Amino acid sequence: PAATATPSTTGIVAPSIAASAPSAAPVPASPSSTEKRPLDLTMESFTLTNGAVKLTDNSLAMPATVAVQNINVGLQQFALGAKASPSAYDFAGSLGSGGSIAVKGNLDLVKSQVTSDVTIDQVDLPALQAYAQSALAATLGAGKLNARASLLTSFAANQFNLHVEPASFSVDNL
């Protein structure tokens, strides 16, 4: 099967999978109906534009809600199977409480690795108070968080490794 991405009237590009016609050469019969064939999927690009998500974290003493809007996600040259190769991806969004998050990098399923450059700009610290409550005996009345980091994530069966370097962060107007 081959995958194509088709734009919709909302500006969202959704992938669709279509099977190709059989070739003129006869296909040998499968020796067993239980034989599994690997998935072979190729997608030139996938784009999501102007999305929004509202998340509520009930695991905290005081539930916290985070809204992310203006979400844009992209994935280019994604493939599974024989044509698998590193795929470029990007994500960007704005937080409802102020600030933005952006991530871009490459996903390499063959090597089980993801490389990412992460940027956090002007994220409002008082909105994160619920997450700091157990470690901070103070109230965050003001402040903005900025951070930059390069990440190398390796994943495989029973294995996960995260390497962060270089990285920097700053807190303004605390």
Side-chain angles (χ1 to χ4, degrees), residues 95-127:
L95 297 173
S97 58
S100 64
I101 299 173
V103 182
K104 64 188 312 187
N106 287 297
L107 167 65
D108 189 338
L109 294 176
V110 173
K111 291 183 177 179
S112 299
Q113 289 185 338
V114 178
T115 57
S116 306
D117 290 319
V118 179
T119 302
I120 298 172
D121 280 322
Q122 297 294 299
V123 171
D124 193 40
L125 285 176

Side-chain angles (χ1 to χ4, degrees), residues 39-162:
L39 178 62
D40 191 18
L41 172 74
T42 302
M43 186 182 329
E44 258 186 62
S45 66
F46 170 83
T47 304
L48 171 77
T49 21
N50 205 26
V53 174
K54 183 176 178 182
L55 304 168
T56 300
D57 186 349
N58 291 318
S59 68
L60 304 170
M62 291 282 292
T65 300
V66 177
V68 184
Q69 62 265 347
N70 304 320
I71 297 172
N72 295 299
V73 178
L75 180 64
Q76 295 77 38
Q77 303 301 321
F78 180 78
L80 294 174
K83 296 180 183 177
S85 63
S87 306
Y89 75 92
D90 58 89
F91 168 89
S94 301
L95 297 173
S97 58
S100 64
I101 299 173
V103 182
K104 64 188 312 187
N106 287 297
L107 167 65
D108 189 338
L109 294 176
V110 173
K111 291 183 177 179
S112 299
Q113 289 185 338
V114 178
T115 57
S116 306
D117 290 319
V118 179
T119 302
I120 298 172
D121 280 322
Q122 297 294 299
V123 171
D124 193 40
L125 285 176
L128 303 176
Q129 177 73 44
Y131 295 99
Q133 201 67 40
S134 64
L136 184 64
T139 300
L140 297 171
K144 302 286 184 180
L145 173 66
N146 299 291
R148 311 272 181 279
S150 293
L151 286 70
L152 172 61
T153 308
S154 300
F155 57 91
N158 301 318
Q159 180 182 358
F160 182 84
N161 184 38
L162 176 65

